[in-house]
Amino acid sequence: MDDPGGRRALQARSVGRGWLQAVREASVEYGSTRYLLLCGLGGMLSCCLTHTAIVPLHLVKCRMQVDPGRYKGILSGFGVTVRDNGLRGLARGWAPTFFGYSLQGFFKFGLYEVFKIRYEELLGPEKAYAWRTGLYLVASASAELFADIALAPMEAVKVRVQTQPGYASTLRAAAPRMYGEEGLWAFYKGVAPLWLRQIPYTMMKFACFERTVEALYKYAVPKPQSQCTKAKQLGVTFVAGYIAGVFCTIVSHPADSVVSVLNKEKGGTALGVLRRRGFVGVWKGLFARILMIGTLTALQWFIYDLVKVYLKLPRPPVAQAPEPLKKRK
């Protein structure tokens, strides 16, 4: 029997494979619009896949931050969650996580490439190399500013679903209720603390990653980057990503605690949360978050680099001093 639906599905898959193959075979110029959009696609995949995969760990971490009396540790937190909501309860908040971090990843990685290239052009090759750490910091901060505006609504929904019992269990139920009760502000009241959490985190994530990759090729890898296999280069990417993840977790954790509490409450302020929690309180859940963010950051860089390899995007070499600067030295 003829199956039009099955035929259409096969055709769609064929078109999808053809598009990917065309993208891989096409010559993509470094810094072109096509290159930057494909970098955004790599960032989208890296962020949405990793954040969605660790939803259970993130859920327990958030509950430890907003209800430390009941959720005392990672293992006990998992136990309490399963007893209260069953195994399905561990996946609560997956939809806003998936959509929110898809948007955030697209803008974070795509705009980082945009700002890095533009700032390098403004500084010129010698200053761009001499001030490269500052360049990475400023480019990543600029990108994250826009990425968090895209993330904020879904982050607010996710935290409400995960930490407020009886409020709503799905994106479809939570978003209309939040809008009906609190208006548009409900989705953006956490954007300032989100900036406080994400901008330092992203600055450390990108700058630490770039400089760690540079150090690994200089001191730990016996061959120059250009002579290493793709597999070895991806291995360096993963190790550098994990090291960057540990540092950026520590830098951003207090603000992460504030965001979790603030999105759970109505009418709260970041300063009010800080006063109530105190210095020790805002560090609750740090170990869980190091475990989560270290692995997540390493996987994000690995997936992002893997997408670049698969799509045959130009991968600029590790930063090296321009020839005029070498001669002067």
Side-chain angles (χ1 to χ4, degrees):
M1 182 182 284
D2 191 22
D3 180 9
R7 192 165 62 249
R8 281 196 298 272
L10 283 170
Q11 287 171 348
R13 283 197 293 271
S14 176
V15 168
R17 285 195 296 268
W19 180 82
L20 276 174
Q21 188 62 29
V23 169
R24 290 186 68 197
E25 290 174 356
S27 175
V28 182
E29 183 187 352
Y30 177 72
S32 65
T33 303
R34 185 191 187 88
Y35 170 83
L36 296 170
L37 287 172
L38 290 173
C39 286
L41 174 65
M44 178 187 288
L45 289 171
S46 72
C47 287
C48 76
L49 293 176
T50 51
H51 278 279
T52 306
I54 60 163
V55 160
L57 186 58
H58 191 272
L59 181 143
V60 172
K61 184 270 303 179
C62 283
R63 290 182 175 180
M64 285 170 64
Q65 289 172 330
V66 301
D67 192 359
R70 191 151 187 261
Y71 298 87
K72 299 185 189 323
I74 300 172
L75 293 177
S76 64
F78 273 105
V80 171
T81 303
V82 171
R83 280 197 302 275
D84 288 352
N85 308 113
L87 283 172
R88 289 183 65 183
L90 292 171
R92 181 168 288 187
W94 75 267
T97 299
F98 179 85
F99 292 114
Y101 282 95
S102 292
L103 290 169
Q104 192 225 27
F106 180 83
F107 288 107
K108 184 203 293 270
F109 282 87
L111 288 179
Y112 174 70
E113 299 285 355
V114 171
F115 285 118
K116 187 170 75 165
I117 291 168
R118 298 298 172 256
Y119 293 158
E120 283 174 350
E121 289 172 352
L122 286 171
L123 288 171
E126 291 185 25
K127 286 182 180 176
Y129 176 78
W131 301 344
R132 61 193 181 284
T133 302
L135 187 149
Y136 303 145
L137 290 168
V138 175
S140 55
S142 304
E144 191 61 38
L145 188 74
F146 295 97
D148 286 344
I149 294 171
L151 170 65
M154 290 295 103
E155 182 74 1
V157 173
K158 181 196 71 172
V159 173
R160 192 70 64 92
V161 164
Q162 289 182 336
T163 62
Q164 195 164 327
Y167 185 83
S169 59
T170 64
L171 170 62
R172 285 182 301 173
R177 181 174 175 182
M178 287 172 67
Y179 183 74
E181 291 178 356
E182 302 170 59
L184 193 61
W185 177 241
F187 301 101
Y188 286 100
K189 70 177 182 179
V191 74
L194 199 58
W195 279 330
L196 289 174
R197 180 189 83 185
Q198 288 296 129
I199 289 178
Y201 162 81
T202 301
M203 291 168 74
M204 185 66 73
K205 173 179 178 174
F206 282 83
C208 185
F209 172 80
E210 299 268 22
R211 293 309 301 261
T212 303
V213 167
E214 191 178 326
L216 287 173
Y217 279 113
K218 188 173 182 180
Y219 300 111
V221 181
K223 294 180 182 177
Q225 182 191 19
S226 58
Q227 295 176 22
C228 292
T229 63
K230 290 289 190 291
K232 188 170 282 187
Q233 289 184 37
L234 288 169
V236 170
T237 295
F238 185 85
V239 172
Y242 210 104
I243 293 168
V246 172
F247 281 102
C248 57
T249 302
I250 295 167
V251 165
S252 64
H253 190 74
D256 179 71
S257 296
V258 173
V259 170
S260 295
V261 176
L262 198 61
N263 280 323
K264 181 193 172 188
E265 299 175 348
K266 291 181 185 178
T269 64
L271 235 99
V273 173
L274 283 170
R275 284 199 197 98
R276 287 200 314 275
R277 293 279 161 170
F279 179 78
V280 175
V282 295
W283 292 100
K284 286 281 185 182
L286 176 62
F287 178 73
R289 193 157 176 264
I290 283 177
L291 181 66
M292 178 180 76
I293 297 296
T295 307
L296 177 142
T297 305
L299 287 172
Q300 280 183 358
W301 279 113
F302 182 83
I303 293 169
Y304 181 63
D305 218 18
L306 191 63
V307 169
K308 281 188 168 184
V309 168
Y310 181 75
L311 296 179
K312 296 183 179 176
L313 298 184
R315 298 167 75 226
V318 171
Q320 294 179 350
E323 284 305 317
L325 197 59
K326 283 180 182 177
K327 286 175 182 174
R328 282 206 299 274
K329 284 185 177 181

